[in-house]
Amino acid sequence: MSVQINLDVMLAKRKMKSNELAKLIGITEQNLSILKTGKARAIRISTLSLICRHLNCQPGDILEYLDDGKDIRDEI
Amino acid sequence: MQNANLQNISVIKKISSRLRLICNIIFFLTPIMTIFYWSFYNHLPNEYQYAIVRQYLQTNYLPLITRVLCAAIMMIPGVIIMLASKYLIELFRLYENNVFFSPNNVTYMEKLGKIVIIWAFMDIIVGTLLVLAISFNNPPGQRYLSIGVGSFQLSSLLIGYIIVLFSKIMDEARIINEEQQYTV
């Protein structure tokens, strides 16, 4: 089971580049890349709030739950 | 707070660099000093000679074959010291490069703990072998076998287990560090 972050889709809809969003929310491009590639273990509420503000969307627009049959505890 | 953090890292880097140098010296000097010591054993002042030699030998003079045997036996703890130095060198190198909680840190610390535990047991065996080698050339009936366990072996064992425990704690720190690295 995992929560997927569909940042690419929202960035394309808002016609915004990753580096622009990274600068706006005050994180490095590498950190944003960690989010986009699904390597993130956790996301701060503050970061999620800033993403939603600058992409003008709801958390549910970028977060998607997928049941892939794996236990997330095994990945930690 | 950031200044304090930078200062801390600077201190860690400085101390790790010095300790790595010391460990490098120990690593290279250990075999050299072992061979040097037993080569010139018969010419050393009494206070630098092993007390057990005088205890188990008829004379204070060690023949060449005995000195070669003793040197070989003393290379057993020598190799252990060299291995421990090697692990410490790698650990301090990681600290110098600001790597504190990586899997490699955990591995080297665990190996260091295990080698100290092995040292505690090997010290008992080495002591026995040394007495055997020294008294081997004695006349029949005057050859000795001695097995001793002292505070050194027990404290080495305790320290080894404590280091292994620290490595497990460091592994927990590694997990927390990785969680933090992948928290956006």
Side-chain angles (χ1 to χ4, degrees):
Chain A
M1 55 179 191
S2 63
V3 172
Q4 201 164 284
I5 299 176
N6 300 321
L7 212 48
D8 282 331
V9 174
M10 199 46 66
L11 280 167
K13 277 186 182 173
R14 300 289 182 257
K15 294 185 177 61
M16 193 185 287
K17 289 185 186 164
S18 304
N19 55 357
E20 278 177 57
L21 181 64
K23 219 179 262 184
L24 282 168
I25 62 177
I27 63 172
T28 61
E29 279 180 64
Q30 288 92 340
N31 272 359
L32 196 67
S33 173
I34 287 170
L35 262 182
K36 282 170 63 180
T37 54
K39 289 180 185 168
R41 297 264 176 87
I43 181 166
R44 295 187 181 93
I45 299 289
S46 54
T47 306
L48 187 58
S49 301
L50 285 166
I51 290 172
C52 289
R53 183 200 295 177
H54 292 289
L55 290 180
N56 192 25
C57 65
Q58 291 294 316
D61 296 330
I62 54 172
L63 299 173
E64 185 188 352
Y65 171 74
L66 287 172
D67 193 349
D68 53 9
K70 291 180 196 168
D71 191 333
I72 195 161
R73 285 168 295 186
D74 292 337
E75 292 172 28
I76 294 171
Chain B
M1 189 157 166
Q2 207 173 2
N3 274 340
N5 186 39
L6 285 170
Q7 207 173 12
N8 209 28
I9 288 174
S10 169
V11 167
I12 290 169
K13 197 166 185 153
K14 206 188 293 181
I15 295 174
S16 298
S17 169
R18 286 177 192 161
L19 288 173
R20 188 165 65 89
L21 176 64
I22 291 168
C23 289
N24 265 307
I25 292 168
I26 291 170
F27 181 84
F28 287 107
L29 275 185
T30 299
I32 295 168
M33 292 305 293
T34 304
I35 293 167
F36 181 85
Y37 179 84
W38 290 105
S39 299
F40 296 101
Y41 182 86
N42 294 323
H43 306 286
L44 294 173
N46 283 346
E47 52 267 31
Y48 293 108
Q49 292 179 336
Y50 270 94
I52 60 167
V53 174
R54 287 197 294 280
Q55 194 179 343
Y56 294 105
L57 210 60
Q58 304 297 303
T59 69
N60 221 15
Y61 177 84
L62 282 181
L64 178 65
I65 185 79
T66 307
R67 282 184 283 133
V68 168
L69 256 175
C70 288
I73 291 164
M74 289 311 287
M75 272 313 295
I76 297 171
V79 164
I80 291 172
I81 290 169
M82 287 170 75
L83 264 175
S85 304
K86 186 75 190 153
Y87 297 146
L88 282 170
I89 287 162
E90 295 305 324
L91 201 53
F92 292 136
R93 198 196 305 273
L94 286 167
Y95 293 154
E96 270 182 81
N97 293 324
N98 296 339
V99 179
F100 303 120
F101 302 113
S102 74
N104 284 339
N105 290 68
V106 175
T107 303
Y108 286 127
M109 191 162 277
E110 193 176 356
K111 281 183 175 177
L112 183 67
K114 286 178 178 173
I115 207 80
V116 172
I117 291 167
I118 290 169
W119 187 2
F121 288 109
M122 288 311 293
D123 202 60
I124 299 167
I125 296 168
V126 163
T128 305
L129 289 173
L130 206 59
V131 170
L132 259 174
I134 287 162
S135 65
F136 192 73
N137 285 320
N138 284 0
Q142 289 176 29
R143 292 173 188 153
Y144 300 96
L145 179 70
S146 162
I147 300 171
V149 179
S151 57
F152 176 78
Q153 290 84 10
L154 293 172
S155 53
S156 299
L157 201 61
L158 185 65
I159 289 166
Y161 275 112
I162 289 171
I163 295 172
V164 169
L165 176 65
F166 280 156
S167 75
K168 301 297 176 196
I169 293 166
M170 180 151 285
D171 203 24
E172 288 299 310
R174 175 193 63 82
I175 291 168
I176 294 167
N177 186 50
E178 278 178 9
E179 286 278 341
Q180 207 219 2
Q181 273 186 327
Y182 290 104
T183 295
V184 181

